[in-house]
Amino acid sequence: MRIEKRFVAGIARGLAYYVGGCALVWLTYLLFGWEYTHAPGAHHLMGLLVLVVGAVRLIRRLIGMLTTPADLHNKGALLVHALAVVGFILFFKLVVLNGALKRDTGGLVVSETHTSGY
């Protein structure tokens, strides 16, 4: 099985978009920081913008796939955008919303054992 040059070029172009987006988010964090931790910082908003534009590019690639299904460049970029958008949605659903990263704040049982001697 031989991978076509245009397919690899599509993958490279899609990856270049997300690498550039990550660099932009990192640069935004360096410039503005994150002083108020109870609200999203500028770097979070920049990351969301990169993801939304990536989703728009995904939709554009899907439409392009329906009009010219033989374009290998389009297929490579579609693969990268689909993996990025679906990967973020799964990350957000599984890790953030399900609370896999919950901090142990010391529930009622722990606090009772610490104060039972008083």
Side-chain angles (χ1 to χ4, degrees), residues 59-116:
I59 293 169
R60 191 180 122 220
R61 294 293 180 181
L62 283 172
I63 292 170
M65 189 71 179
L66 295 174
T67 58
T68 56
D71 186 12
L72 291 176
H73 186 273
N74 193 19
K75 288 181 183 180
L78 176 68
L79 176 68
V80 172
H81 290 300
L83 286 175
V85 171
V86 171
F88 177 78
I89 290 170
L90 286 175
F91 169 78
F92 197 76
K93 169 68 175 113
L94 296 175
V95 175
V96 176
L97 292 181
N98 284 347
L101 294 177
K102 283 185 181 176
R103 293 183 179 97
D104 184 17
T105 57
L108 182 61
V109 175
V110 173
S111 63
E112 284 181 10
T113 58
H114 288 302
T115 59
S116 64

